[in-house]
Amino acid sequence: MARIGIFDSGVGGLTVHRAILERLPGLDTVYLGDTARLPYGTKSGDVVTHYSLRNARFLASRGIDLLVVACNTASALALPALRESLHLPVLGVVEPGARAAARATRGGRIGVIGTQSTIASGAYQQAIAQASPGSTVTARACPLFVPLAEEGWTDPEDEVVRLVARRYLAPLAEAGVDTLVLGCTHYPLLRGAIARELPGVALVDSAEAIAAEVGALVGATDPARPADHQFFVTDTPERFLGVAGRFLGRTVSRAEHVDV
Amino acid sequence: MARIGIFDSGVGGLTVHRAILERLPGLDTVYLGDTARLPYGTKSGDVVTHYSLRNARFLASRGIDLLVVACNTASALALPALRESLHLPVLGVVEPGARAAARATRGGRIGVIGTQSTIASGAYQQAIAQASPGSTVTARACPLFVPLAEEGWTDPEDEVVRLVARRYLAPLAEAGVDTLVLGCTHYPLLRGAIARELPGVALVDSAEAIAAEVGALVGATDPARPADHQFFVTDTPERFLGVAGRFLGRTVSRAEHVDV
């Protein structure tokens, strides 16, 4: 049975963990949240790559067979360095998300939202252009979406949530996008508010997109097998454990602190 | 002429830099923004102390005479460790802010707002109780204020700003505070919005409070002297330089990257 390593800047990557296990129950996983240095979305390519390599080396030392980069910013900025440095298959969320958008679009108008660093990198824009030649791409950074989700302010009826979503998404509505990639692990928590501002637009969750590609690589798993799930964080575990449930959909009872 | 070292998790400490130089022109300064690991306000005491010690050791190696901890979270969590480890006077913003609040209050009802880690530490609550025995303290974490300020959404007429300020500050209004400590370097940028929700309440800016105490330690300076100001950051300088002006009130033309 394959053992999958997953890293993220913090807790958001648990949405990817969840999507992978819904599709592949029985799989062993090792998760690392770099909570001492989060967020990655406002930091430079150099720094994000440096942290990503350290995360990846730790996971490689735990005997994984495949590395999943759950963080969109790390996927956008650090994938070439990770692939060069590791002797393992490495999957990021950007390419699966772009391919899913290419399949979903009806009119060839694709939007993507993400952190400042993800959008500034142009990685999604480039991947979508490759996966869907001829489509037009409208990209927008939404810096307040992560703190809103971490504060638990996600209800589409909440006036703050509604106003922030409207301000960020208005340019995408004006561009007439028919498909929108949620290019950050936190954004699926705001799906309701995003859908409200962009009615009829297909929302692509890159967590689900990468889970499908992991499934294609790993093949069938045995759901009856008792799977082993390990969680590590670089800051103390308390805050991670406190919010993990919101992202994973079930309680995480134990996470171990590690310096990487 | 004394040389002052100032560190912060990022750009916010420039409000302290600015307040010190307005009071003490001609003073030499060395500023370090730990932009590769910001923010500190959501991280544990262990991690914030670890980063603070590394920042302080770098500044000590630059020949400073006095260390100013501009970051409220680092001041709240790491001051004892810094004082133990450095052979220099170390000033944090918490105690000056608490003393300024004690002087400002008329009815003994003091509020304090800050990051999650600052408020959870209880450092302000304790310092206010010491500086103003018999006063009551109401404390509240305001996690969205930092991202709002960094996004540049600070106009009190902005509906998002107004609604977020109202939600966070309503418990302070209900408690009838007459004085409020702005316990985070970013909050003075939201002063207008905060004042609107708490009319008649004295707002204490801990940047100004610490500048007064630095002045008392350093004595008079020569405003005609050409002063030397050095800026260092742990991530690449571009983003720091881009927003520094908003916090410092004048352009920063050069910052050097450093690993600490």
Side-chain angles (χ1 to χ4, degrees):
Chain A
M1 179 61 58
R3 169 182 286 202
I4 310 291
I6 304 170
F7 82 79
D8 182 57
S9 57
V11 73
L14 292 173
T15 57
V16 172
H17 190 284
R18 176 186 189 163
I20 289 173
L21 284 189
E22 277 172 3
R23 193 173 281 263
L24 301 163
L27 202 64
D28 291 340
T29 59
V30 189
Y31 183 94
L32 172 63
D34 190 13
T35 49
R37 293 179 291 216
L38 66 81
Y40 286 3
T42 57
K43 289 170 189 153
S44 72
D46 286 355
V47 159
V48 170
T49 300
H50 178 64
Y51 295 164
S52 296
L53 286 170
R54 285 162 67 164
N55 297 338
R57 283 181 198 131
F58 168 76
L59 289 171
S61 78
R62 308 290 300 185
I64 60 169
D65 305 297
L66 168 67
L67 176 67
V68 170
V69 183
C71 174
N72 285 259
T73 304
S75 296
L77 296 168
L79 219 57
L82 288 166
R83 285 184 170 146
E84 196 171 307
S85 144
L86 294 181
H87 303 286
L88 283 172
V90 180
L91 279 186
V93 286
V94 171
E95 288 163 11
R99 284 191 281 266
R103 285 191 300 273
T105 188
R106 300 191 180 279
R109 292 175 187 266
I110 299 174
V112 57
I113 54 176
T115 66
Q116 289 167 289
S117 297
T118 296
I119 298 303
S121 77
Y124 264 110
Q125 294 91 317
Q126 204 177 333
I128 293 168
Q130 276 186 1
S132 179
S135 64
T136 60
V137 184
T138 308
R140 180 81 159 98
C142 305
L144 278 172
F145 277 179
V146 167
L148 277 177
E150 297 212 332
E151 184 70 325
W153 295 2
T154 56
D155 184 346
E157 301 302 319
D158 182 318
E159 211 180 347
V160 171
V161 175
R162 194 175 54 74
L163 285 168
V164 173
R166 179 155 301 169
R167 193 169 301 171
Y168 284 136
L169 301 176
L172 296 148
E174 280 159 30
V177 302
D178 61 70
T179 300
L180 179 70
V181 180
L182 308 181
C184 173
T185 54
H186 284 64
Y187 295 179
L189 275 73
L190 289 159
R191 180 187 270 270
I194 294 166
R196 184 178 169 143
E197 296 305 318
L198 298 171
V201 170
L203 301 183
V204 173
D205 179 348
S206 47
E208 288 165 15
I210 198 173
E213 301 208 0
V214 171
L217 271 175
V218 170
T221 57
D222 174 6
R225 180 180 172 278
D228 178 43
H229 304 302
Q230 300 170 20
F231 297 93
F232 295 90
V233 285
T234 55
D235 197 345
T236 49
E238 289 73 22
R239 191 161 294 162
F240 176 84
L241 293 174
V243 295
R246 197 184 302 154
F247 290 83
L248 195 61
R250 61 180 181 81
T251 307
V252 180
S253 56
R254 188 165 175 277
E256 202 172 317
H257 174 262
V258 67
D259 267 322
V260 301
Chain B
M1 181 59 61
R3 170 181 285 200
I4 309 291
I6 304 170
F7 82 79
D8 182 57
S9 57
V11 75
L14 292 173
T15 58
V16 173
H17 190 284
R18 175 185 191 165
I20 290 174
L21 284 188
E22 278 171 4
R23 194 173 279 264
L24 302 163
L27 201 65
D28 291 340
T29 58
V30 190
Y31 183 95
L32 172 63
D34 190 14
T35 49
R37 292 178 292 218
L38 66 80
Y40 286 2
T42 56
K43 288 167 190 156
S44 72
D46 286 355
V47 158
V48 170
T49 300
H50 178 65
Y51 295 164
S52 296
L53 287 169
R54 286 164 67 163
N55 297 337
R57 282 181 198 130
F58 168 76
L59 289 172
S61 78
R62 308 291 299 185
I64 58 170
D65 305 297
L66 169 66
L67 177 66
V68 170
V69 183
C71 174
N72 286 260
T73 304
S75 295
L77 296 168
L79 220 56
L82 288 166
R83 285 185 171 146
E84 195 171 309
S85 144
L86 294 181
H87 303 286
L88 282 174
V90 180
L91 280 184
V93 285
V94 171
E95 287 162 12
R99 285 191 282 265
R103 285 191 301 275
T105 188
R106 299 188 182 281
R109 291 174 188 267
I110 300 175
V112 56
I113 54 176
T115 65
Q116 289 168 289
S117 298
T118 296
I119 298 303
S121 76
Y124 264 111
Q125 295 92 314
Q126 204 177 333
I128 293 169
Q130 275 186 2
S132 178
S135 65
T136 59
V137 184
T138 309
R140 180 82 159 98
C142 306
L144 277 172
F145 277 0
V146 167
L148 277 177
E150 297 212 331
E151 183 71 325
W153 295 3
T154 56
D155 184 346
E157 303 300 320
D158 182 317
E159 210 180 347
V160 171
V161 175
R162 194 174 55 74
L163 286 169
V164 173
R166 179 154 301 169
R167 193 169 300 173
Y168 283 137
L169 301 176
L172 295 148
E174 281 160 28
V177 301
D178 61 71
T179 300
L180 179 70
V181 181
L182 308 182
C184 174
T185 56
H186 285 63
Y187 295 179
L189 276 73
L190 289 159
R191 181 187 269 271
I194 293 167
R196 185 178 169 143
E197 296 306 317
L198 298 171
V201 170
L203 300 184
V204 172
D205 179 347
S206 47
E208 288 165 14
I210 198 172
E213 300 208 359
V214 172
L217 272 175
V218 169
T221 58
D222 174 6
R225 178 180 175 278
D228 178 41
H229 304 301
Q230 300 171 20
F231 297 92
F232 295 90
V233 284
T234 54
D235 198 345
T236 49
E238 290 72 22
R239 191 163 293 164
F240 177 84
L241 293 173
V243 295
R246 196 184 302 153
F247 290 83
L248 196 60
R250 60 181 182 79
T251 308
V252 180
S253 56
R254 187 164 173 277
E256 202 173 314
H257 173 261
V258 67
D259 267 323
V260 302

